[in-house]
Amino acid sequence: MAAKIVPLEDLATLVSLCKRRGFVFQSSEIYGGLGSCWDYGPLGSQYKLNVKMAWWNAMTRRDDIVGLDAAILMHPTVWKASGHIDTFTDPLVDCKDCKNRFREDHGTKDDGTVACPKCGGTNVTEARNFNLMFKTFMGAVEGDSSEIFLRPETAQGIFVNFENAQTSARKKIPFGIAQIGKSFRNEITPGNFIFRTREFEQMEMQYFVEPSTADKFFEQWKEARMNFLLNLGLEKDRLKFSEHGPDALAHYAKAAFDVEYKFPFGWEELEGIHNRGDYDLSQHQEFSGKKLEYFDEANKKKYVPYVVETAIGCDRLSLALLCNAYREEHTTLDNGKEDKRVVLGLKPELAPYKAGILPLSKKEPLQNMSRKIQDDLNQHWLVNYDESGSIGKRYRRQDEVGTPFCITVDFESVDDQKVTIRHRDTMAQDRIPAEQIKSYMSDKFMNW
Ligand code: GAP
């Protein structure tokens, strides 16, 4: 009988899988945890790296985009110039009844009144502007002169390196700079697991263009980013664009669209695509006194480029992909019992392990052959050797973490040098020569 497919219904189910299987743990858990900070475990760290590589390769394996890895700590004037010191604030409101602290816009009703999202009371304080940047001190002396910030976006590292990157890589406009790195925001209301956290990783690309072409490139990047997300396997009807109205535009933006994803807790921003105009380069020009203009040889004209930015949180994308991949397959067995198979239907490139190597017994010839297969495949991908428990349980363990293939080595394998390879999604099995495993898997990955 065909299985009944049940998608992820509540986030708690995924949080529990992530902890149990080593994807994500609460930060400093043995001390009771630290609010909205998370650690990626043995499988999660590999998974997150795969998400980053998918983005990095899509961005940088082309002629017109180069990479960068800028420092988290930057000259404090950067944040004055960028506008973050003056305007990177959230309106903070306290509920006088239940003492809950929340962002004013999170409690604003359609009629404009502000009600506490926790207790519903309207006995709340006036909003105060709260700067989201984390402060720290550089050097041994604490004081205003040594005050610096943890970056709240990776973008500024790109803007201040515009000239360095452009001249060293000898790029002509239009060209982009891509970067992956940590950002920090002292969010008032973080939450929903790794969706909104105070320490997170961003994957940003700033594309520098001649000002009159910015609208055209904005449209191109909107389309390219949507295609990237679809290619990673996110469901089309769980993705949509949402335009920022004039009131919601960030201080730097001329135009902005979010790509929203329908998480189990509702539609939320996944990625931002912004036309930042020449705001950032002009500001840095003014505050640093250094020219950040581009000279167009062909047309003999000088200008400050406009920037079309694409910005996505790696943690947020990792969460969307996990929510999207999770499914339960419910079947009624012949004996009337209910069976549940949990599968992470991740695209193979994202799966932490590309294969599980499962010897049917712990007998030495089977172990030796399995270890040899593991060593060979590890030259290309991370695979996992597992010899404990029944074969059925081992299959299920691999399904639950998204492993595309299980390779079983049985008693006959030692004689005929063939293995059984099982597909995660269909559970179909093929018997193939051990020496063909690599090419078999590569072929299937190409056409997944
Ligand atoms: N440079 C532009 C910029 O930073 P943003 O819309 O503030 O724009 C871009 O952030 C993306 O970074 C968001 O779409 C989201 O995916 C991610 N992001 C922002 N704040 C985050 C947080 N507190 N936790 C996790 N991800 C966050």
Side-chain angles (χ1 to χ4, degrees):
M1 200 174 74
K4 183 175 161 229
I5 311 284
V6 181
L8 184 70
E9 278 165 0
D10 66 309
L11 195 60
T13 308
L14 187 72
V15 176
S16 145
L17 184 150
C18 283
K19 161 131 205 229
R20 195 163 30 84
R21 301 308 315 274
F23 277 85
V24 183
F25 310 126
Q26 197 179 9
S27 160
S28 319
E29 192 185 270
I30 60 167
Y31 287 98
L34 178 68
S36 82
C37 293
W38 300 91
D39 299 341
Y40 289 79
L43 288 190
S45 50
Q46 180 64 52
Y47 164 64
K48 193 179 178 197
L49 201 55
N50 296 347
V51 173
K52 285 192 251 188
M53 283 315 294
W55 183 90
W56 184 257
N57 290 340
M59 282 298 179
T60 62
R61 289 194 182 171
R62 43 190 285 165
D63 275 344
D64 59 344
I65 300 184
V66 294
L68 185 82
D69 183 1
I72 289 173
L73 302 177
M74 299 183 75
H75 193 288
T77 312
V78 166
W79 306 112
K80 188 77 197 146
S82 69
H84 283 84
I85 287 184
D86 297 326
T87 53
F88 194 57
T89 54
D90 272 347
L92 182 77
V93 170
D94 285 303
C95 172
K96 291 183 188 164
D97 295 334
C98 76
K99 310 292 176 233
N100 180 32
R101 181 164 283 181
F102 58 96
R103 252 169 65 174
E104 187 182 35
D105 52 321
H106 286 177
T108 307
K109 304 262 174 244
D110 289 344
D111 64 3
T113 55
V114 180
C116 171
K118 203 165 158 195
C119 74
T122 50
N123 190 12
V124 299
T125 60
E126 283 292 304
R128 286 166 289 133
N129 277 336
F130 170 77
N131 196 295
L132 300 183
M133 283 197 294
F134 280 96
K135 262 186 218 169
T136 187
F137 300 96
M138 189 166 241
V141 186
E142 285 193 16
D144 285 352
S145 61
S146 57
E147 191 176 271
I148 54 165
F149 301 91
L150 302 187
R151 66 179 175 202
E153 63 170 6
T154 49
Q156 298 303 324
I158 288 181
F159 297 132
V160 300
N161 276 297
F162 162 70
E163 180 90 21
N164 285 336
Q166 188 253 321
T167 51
S168 63
R170 294 185 298 115
K171 288 294 167 199
K172 287 199 169 66
I173 272 176
F175 86 99
I177 305 178
Q179 174 169 225
I180 300 177
K182 291 267 184 169
S183 292
F184 302 82
R185 296 182 190 178
N186 200 359
E187 300 278 3
I188 300 169
T189 41
N192 284 326
F193 194 33
I194 52 174
F195 175 79
R196 184 176 286 111
T197 54
R198 296 196 170 108
E199 172 178 343
F200 54 98
E201 233 164 333
Q202 285 189 306
M203 306 191 287
E204 295 204 81
M205 192 282 299
Q206 274 69 29
Y207 203 70
F208 299 91
V209 304
E210 195 278 320
S212 69
T213 61
D215 291 345
K216 176 185 84 180
F217 284 112
F218 186 72
E219 289 308 317
Q220 281 183 12
W221 278 109
K222 265 177 65 190
E223 193 185 329
R225 295 307 303 151
M226 185 57 97
N227 286 338
F228 170 81
L229 296 169
L230 291 168
N231 283 338
L232 284 185
L234 290 180
E235 257 176 70
K236 198 170 182 183
D237 56 9
R238 285 186 167 262
L239 286 169
K240 69 174 184 198
F241 283 115
S242 139
E243 186 174 8
H244 286 208
D247 295 344
L249 279 181
H251 61 272
Y252 52 74
K254 281 193 175 321
F257 272 77
D258 288 341
V259 179
E260 291 189 349
Y261 178 75
K262 193 174 178 198
F263 288 91
F265 42 88
W267 285 100
E268 292 286 353
E269 172 185 345
L270 177 60
E271 167 151 12
I273 299 134
H274 311 129
N275 174 355
R276 295 180 75 127
D278 61 2
Y279 176 82
D280 302 272
L281 291 183
S282 297
Q283 288 288 104
H284 288 306
Q285 234 182 203
E286 190 186 325
F287 279 74
S288 69
K290 300 270 166 17
K291 284 266 170 260
L292 293 174
E293 290 172 330
Y294 175 80
F295 182 65
D296 175 351
E297 287 282 356
N299 297 305
K300 304 280 175 246
K301 91 177 172 176
K302 218 186 240 180
Y303 57 86
V304 177
Y306 270 30
V307 171
V308 175
E309 156 183 272
T310 77
I312 187 163
C314 177
D315 312 78
R316 204 172 276 191
L317 176 58
S318 301
L319 178 63
L321 289 163
L322 285 176
C323 292
N324 185 79
Y326 182 95
R327 67 170 186 268
E328 292 172 7
E329 295 179 5
H330 294 254
T331 340
T332 310
L333 302 176
D334 291 342
N335 61 11
K337 285 200 177 141
E338 284 295 316
D339 178 60
K340 179 172 97 175
R341 183 171 89 107
V342 174
V343 185
L344 273 189
L346 292 167
K347 281 269 169 118
E349 64 174 314
L350 303 177
Y353 301 137
K354 305 300 184 243
I357 319 293
L358 318 176
L360 210 54
S361 105
K362 291 183 184 166
K363 295 251 167 10
E364 208 178 306
L366 274 71
Q367 284 181 331
N368 290 345
M369 184 172 170
S370 301
R371 288 292 187 195
K372 162 104 185 32
I373 292 171
Q374 180 190 16
D375 289 346
D376 288 349
L377 292 181
N378 268 343
Q379 310 280 324
H380 310 279
W381 306 293
L382 180 66
V383 296
N384 176 241
Y385 178 93
D386 184 6
E387 60 177 21
S388 63
S390 73
I391 192 73
K393 285 215 173 94
R394 283 185 268 165
Y395 282 153
R396 295 296 167 96
R397 280 205 289 268
Q398 298 292 345
D399 292 341
E400 201 184 35
V401 298
T403 310
F405 292 112
C406 284
I407 297 162
T408 308
V409 175
D410 56 31
F411 293 95
E412 274 174 41
S413 302
V414 181
D415 296 329
D416 67 5
Q417 291 297 302
K418 289 186 173 171
V419 295
T420 302
I421 187 157
R422 168 191 177 270
H423 298 226
R424 174 193 71 199
D425 292 336
T426 58
M427 292 187 280
Q429 303 193 353
D430 283 330
R431 185 91 181 157
I432 60 166
E435 62 179 21
Q436 287 174 16
I437 299 174
K438 152 95 198 333
S439 58
Y440 178 97
M441 284 173 57
S442 299
D443 279 359
K444 298 282 181 201
F445 288 163
M446 298 267 272
N447 303 305
W448 201 272

